[in-house]
Amino acid sequence: MPDLSLEQKAALVVGGGFWATASVEEAGILPVVLTDGPHGVRLQRTRVGALGIASSVPATCFPPAAGLASSWNPALVERVGVALGEESRAEGVGVLLGPGVNIKRSPLCGRNFEYFSEDPLLSGELGAAWVRGVQSRGIGASLKHFAANNQETNRMTVSAEVDERTLRELYLSAFERVVTREQPWTVMCSYNRINGVAAAENHWLLTEVLREEWGFRGLVVSDWGAVEHLGPALAAGLDLEMPGPQNDSVDAVVAAVRAGELDQVVLDTAVRRVRHLVDRAGGEFGGASGGEDSSSSTRFGAHHALAREAATESMVLLRNEGSLLPIDTAQAVGVIGEFARTPRIQGAGSSQVSATRIDTALDSIGALAPVEFAPGYSFDKRADEEQLRAEAVAVATRSDVVLLFVGLPAEDESEGYDRANLDLPVNQLRLIGAVVAANPRTVVILTNGGVVSLEPWHDSVPAIIETWLLGQAGGAALADVLFGRAAPSGRLAESIPLRVQDTPSYLNFPGDGDIVRYGEGIFVGYRYYETIELPVRYPFGFGLSYTTFAYSGLEVSHRGSIASVTVTNTGSRAGKEVVQLYISAPTGGISVPRRELRAFEKVSLDAGESVRVQFTLDSRAYSYWDVVSSGWVVAGGTYVVEVGSSAHEILDTATVVLPAPRPGRLTLDSRVSDFLGHPVTGPILTRAAAGEGESKNTNLLEMVSSMPMRRLMRFPGVGESFKRIGVLLALANNSAVRGIATFFHKR
Ligand code: GLC
């Protein structure tokens, strides 16, 4: 790159500020602004605080990922992405730092509000939709945090010890789906190490997998403060260290190149990617319009309406005994809980935005029906909780129906630290007991970014809505659902366990010091609960509506690549159903979850209406990651295709038989079982081992089946009887010889 000096190049691979890339004016290289976040634009125009947390410009606060994911609606998420892209452009932002697609390995993770799901397909599809929307407005996305950043405890130093199959099937899969589908402009590497190697310096992750396997063509940016040694990071595939400027980093890069420790080609490659980002950010859509423009009020108005629509689809109706909901406006409504008056609309940390306006539930409900309010509890620890509880009980006693708002106070969950339990605060648990005793017609409305336990009060409460964190329009959306002006259609994107001890990662979360063993492997969330048949309070994919649905006529054709099913609204109200397709793979040979989500579609149906939903399934839907061949393999056998309304509620099934993969080349290091399973050598060996007459020894081979052939042949007496092993290998590995042998074998 002749037009830049070594020093200028080195400066470009380090941020020019907390939120911008560097500029080289003499070369016409302008800075690009990168800022958070996944559910709203957090742009700080004032001087940045030490940790980059300061007040930010007004922006629409959409439901954070935990809520948005519960919509199971990629089209809606894409529209939110478009809105975020528009607000980014208006503020002169070039890259919006999202989406976060890390898997919810444990419900204790303090940052789960910012992630989509325990399932990689749902995370990947929604993450791809978010990227598609944002980038459609000429704003780059930053897919994060790559990879295996599944906890906040010691996040900058822990090593996620994860086997490759688990990485591929669970922790990389959502990133792969987004990268291969949408080519995000940037990918953000995570703070942590993966199997001992820092993500920022992980050549396997950033180059071999991300670029060489998945074909990523964008720029890899570090999480803020994730780089320890910029030279090795550049060599591994990182392109930009944030934040900047880090003068010692620049000097170190210059010195490393001059000393021949860092290849100039590596630096030029990173600089080329930075310049490509600059060009894109300044391209057709790009170019900061900056600051407020006259249409911002119009834009914010439209985006607030979209935030309300998104919130409506995000909340999950978990329980509605006796159809207590929807309530009618003639009823005397008791609204209890400070969250109704002081809503928690988002999570804490780098994603926190300054909402343009907030609809509280109390105001929104009060606009529809006469209400009486009591705070019931306080976020101020000095408050008189007993007095507050007594006031709440009095209101409950006078009400026809009680709307009881409980949830996690802001300090209970955040970026930067994890939770110690899944419990609601003690004062709120006491309040639930007192209010339900005073008035059994109580609806509990939950506000929380991460899963909370519904015990022990669950059975005493006839109706429960999990709203997660609903963004700035959540109060109005909730009022719409409570009074039936909108129907609930959210589905759980994460299982709700009965106990935290039941969670699959419980014994390995948050790990021992800096070592976090992903001992549960691929058995995360419902993959665990359904496989060991462990009851949960509510399963992945669960959610009620104000109507009911039936499934019929599941058909699978074209060797399992097409599946279709009819869904009917069998109730008296319009509603939306999330049709979920799972596949249950045969268990022979390798461990597999009871079922895995392989497709889904949200459909809107009027009362009595039916629709035929069709899914296209590729081979990956039937595959597992084979660590021996380092690739995706369809094991072959009988697969059960299941459609249902949750990971536990399967409503129709169909089977498909798929062929086993052609056997790989046999070698002396292949197991005896590989020889036995081979169509040519199997029968030969079985006959040879059976022996003659009474010496038939049918379980001899069973006993040695897991041994490598080379080791078996070292046993006295075995070697010579296998002296024709070379013939066996020729038969197995030579297609011509194999064809002849098979022909004669079959005669
Ligand atoms: C934070 C977060 C990341 C965010 C970045 C900039 O530490 O991990 O998600 O985009 O730094 O705020």
Side-chain angles (χ1 to χ4, degrees):
M1 218 161 277
D3 59 343
L4 294 176
S5 69
L6 175 57
E7 288 72 12
Q8 287 170 327
K9 290 177 185 178
L12 280 174
V13 297
V14 179
F18 209 95
W19 301 115
T21 59
S23 61
V24 180
E25 287 176 18
E26 53 273 34
I29 299 173
L30 300 175
V32 175
V33 174
L34 303 89
T35 200
D36 296 303
H39 61 266
V41 179
R42 182 173 77 91
L43 180 70
Q44 297 170 149
R45 291 203 185 288
T46 57
R47 201 186 68 76
V48 169
L51 286 179
I53 304 288
S55 63
S56 56
V57 301
T60 304
C61 179
F62 290 96
L68 216 43
S70 304
S71 73
W72 286 63
N73 188 338
L76 174 66
V77 173
E78 182 172 346
R79 290 168 53 212
V80 170
V82 169
L84 291 169
E86 288 169 354
E87 294 195 17
S88 298
R89 203 154 64 81
E91 297 295 352
V93 173
V95 174
L96 190 59
L97 302 172
V101 297
N102 293 103
I103 292 299
K104 302 188 188 194
R105 174 177 176 246
S106 168
L108 291 171
C109 174
R111 205 170 176 186
N112 273 354
F113 66 88
E114 212 176 318
Y115 302 143
F116 290 112
S117 177
E118 68 189 36
D119 178 84
L121 174 78
L122 184 57
S123 299
E125 287 295 335
L126 299 180
W130 192 100
V131 169
R132 195 161 50 245
V134 168
Q135 297 193 162
S136 73
R137 311 312 298 149
I139 302 297
S142 192
L143 183 64
K144 67 188 186 180
H145 306 87
F146 192 53
N149 181 182
N150 307 101
Q151 65 185 60
E152 293 302 293
T153 306
N154 301 329
R155 62 174 172 162
M156 286 205 176
T157 55
V158 292
S159 176
E161 299 294 314
V162 204
D163 65 278
E164 182 166 12
R165 180 181 176 202
T166 301
L167 270 175
R168 294 284 187 165
E169 294 188 19
L170 264 287
Y171 299 101
L172 299 183
S173 177
F175 289 95
E176 178 186 12
R177 188 174 292 270
V178 180
V179 165
T180 54
R181 292 275 187 84
E182 302 302 335
Q183 282 293 339
W185 288 13
T186 74
V187 165
M188 181 190 291
C189 79
S190 59
Y191 286 124
N192 55 284
R193 289 175 288 148
I194 294 125
N195 297 322
V197 180
E201 301 178 26
N202 200 313
H203 188 270
W204 174 80
L205 187 73
L206 303 183
T207 296
E208 294 164 53
V209 172
L210 180 61
R211 294 187 188 282
E212 293 169 1
E213 269 189 52
W214 298 348
F216 177 60
R217 298 189 298 274
L219 171 143
V220 177
V221 59
S222 73
D223 198 340
W224 269 234
V227 172
E228 205 163 344
H229 315 102
L230 182 54
L234 292 169
L238 183 96
D239 303 303
L240 175 65
E241 174 183 5
M242 290 302 286
Q246 308 279 356
N247 296 329
D248 53 331
S249 278
V250 176
D251 297 343
V253 168
V254 171
V257 170
R258 289 206 167 115
E261 294 159 4
L262 176 64
D263 189 333
Q264 176 83 48
V265 172
V266 166
L267 178 59
D268 286 349
T269 302
V271 170
R272 185 170 62 250
R273 290 171 182 153
V274 172
R275 296 186 76 167
H276 180 49
L277 179 68
V278 172
D279 295 344
R280 292 174 105 172
E284 177 205 349
F285 279 114
S289 58
E292 291 298 298
D293 55 37
S294 60
S295 63
S296 65
S297 57
T298 309
R299 183 170 52 249
F300 285 150
H303 292 174
H304 185 76
L306 177 59
R308 180 168 176 169
E309 182 184 347
T312 303
E313 293 219 22
S314 297
M315 60 189 85
V316 184
L317 178 58
L318 294 177
R319 185 175 164 85
N320 191 18
E321 296 299 297
S323 298
L324 182 57
L325 290 173
I327 51 182
D328 67 53
T329 54
Q331 290 175 294
V333 178
V335 176
I336 295 172
E338 187 55 57
F339 277 126
R341 178 170 61 182
T342 315
R344 197 173 149 229
I345 65 172
Q346 60 186 322
S350 61
S351 64
Q352 195 159 338
V353 299
S354 303
T356 58
R357 55 178 277 194
I358 293 178
D359 298 341
T360 71
L362 181 58
D363 292 345
S364 305
I365 294 165
L368 298 176
V371 301
E372 196 180 352
F373 172 71
Y377 50 84
S378 170
F379 300 133
D380 179 346
K381 306 290 183 203
R382 295 162 301 180
D384 180 346
E385 294 293 344
E386 281 194 26
Q387 174 60 28
L388 290 168
R389 200 155 46 241
E391 289 166 8
V393 166
V395 168
T397 308
R398 292 193 292 268
S399 304
D400 295 330
V401 62
V402 177
L403 304 176
L404 176 53
F405 289 75
V406 292
L408 290 181
E411 65 273 9
D412 281 21
E413 56 180 344
S414 166
E415 176 185 344
Y417 55 88
D418 295 319
R419 296 161 62 194
N421 56 59
L422 300 181
D423 303 336
L424 287 172
V426 171
N427 60 344
Q428 293 184 31
L429 289 171
R430 289 191 183 124
L431 178 68
I432 293 171
V435 166
V436 171
N439 188 335
R441 290 170 54 80
T442 291
V443 181
V444 165
I445 296 152
L446 292 164
T447 293
N448 45 294
V451 157
V452 293
S453 165
L454 309 186
E455 317 310 319
W457 50 269
H458 173 273
D459 293 347
S460 67
V461 172
I464 303 169
I465 300 182
E466 174 57 83
T467 72
W468 304 110
L469 300 171
L470 284 177
Q472 65 182 52
L478 181 61
D480 289 342
V481 168
L482 289 169
F483 287 93
R485 296 151 54 99
S489 64
R491 300 290 183 271
L492 291 179
E494 180 181 4
S495 312
I496 300 180
L498 283 164
R499 308 179 316 147
V500 67
Q501 295 88 336
D502 293 346
T503 54
S505 58
Y506 181 68
L507 294 178
N508 289 303
F509 188 93
D512 299 326
D514 278 345
I515 300 298
V516 187
R517 288 179 193 82
Y518 284 45
E520 70 284 351
I522 58 175
F523 297 95
V524 171
Y526 72 89
R527 285 173 166 81
Y528 175 73
Y529 303 121
E530 288 301 314
T531 304
I532 67 168
E533 298 180 5
L534 179 65
V536 295
R537 177 51 73 191
Y538 287 106
F540 172 84
F542 180 87
L544 298 178
S545 308
Y546 287 155
T547 184
T548 51
F549 300 94
Y551 290 48
S552 59
L554 173 62
E555 289 174 0
V556 179
S557 60
H558 300 81
R559 295 161 59 89
S561 60
I562 303 289
S564 57
V565 66
T566 296
V567 185
T568 301
N569 179 340
T570 49
S572 57
R573 296 172 63 112
K576 295 179 181 176
E577 171 68 331
V578 178
V579 185
Q580 301 157 46
L581 184 145
Y582 296 86
I583 287 182
S584 183
T587 55
I590 54 142
S591 62
V592 290
R594 174 70 184 76
R595 59 176 59 93
E596 297 182 280
L597 181 72
R598 292 309 194 202
F600 65 90
E601 184 170 336
K602 189 168 197 175
V603 294
S604 183
L605 295 172
D606 289 333
E609 184 184 5
S610 293
V611 67
R612 186 85 179 154
V613 180
Q614 179 166 301
F615 298 103
T616 302
L617 301 168
D618 60 15
S619 64
R620 283 285 287 276
Y622 296 91
S623 300
Y624 72 97
W625 178 265
D626 178 51
V627 294
V628 174
S629 59
S630 287
W632 296 99
V633 170
V634 175
T638 301
Y639 293 76
V640 183
V641 178
E642 305 169 322
V643 288
S645 54
S646 79
H648 189 69
E649 190 73 22
I650 299 305
L651 300 168
D652 206 346
T653 65
T655 58
V656 58
V657 180
L658 296 177
R662 291 170 59 83
R665 286 183 63 79
L666 289 181
T667 70
L668 287 180
D669 294 316
S670 304
R671 297 180 192 282
V672 170
S673 56
D674 298 327
F675 280 80
L676 282 174
H678 194 284
V680 174
T681 57
I684 297 171
L685 270 182
T686 305
R687 272 202 308 276
E692 297 305 323
E694 71 284 356
S695 70
K696 278 187 181 301
N697 185 344
T698 53
N699 73 342
L700 167 68
L701 285 174
E702 200 62 34
M703 285 162 40
V704 300
S705 66
S706 65
M707 292 177 75
M709 186 58 83
R710 188 189 305 274
R711 307 276 281 283
L712 178 63
M713 289 176 62
R714 296 179 65 81
F715 279 70
V718 173
E720 52 274 22
S721 65
F722 276 60
K723 54 180 175 297
R724 291 188 298 282
I725 188 71
V727 173
L728 270 183
L729 289 174
L731 283 173
N733 297 332
N734 179 315
S735 54
V737 173
R738 182 166 60 233
I740 295 165
T742 306
F743 173 73
F744 281 110
H745 168 61
K746 281 183 176 168
R747 282 164 57 94

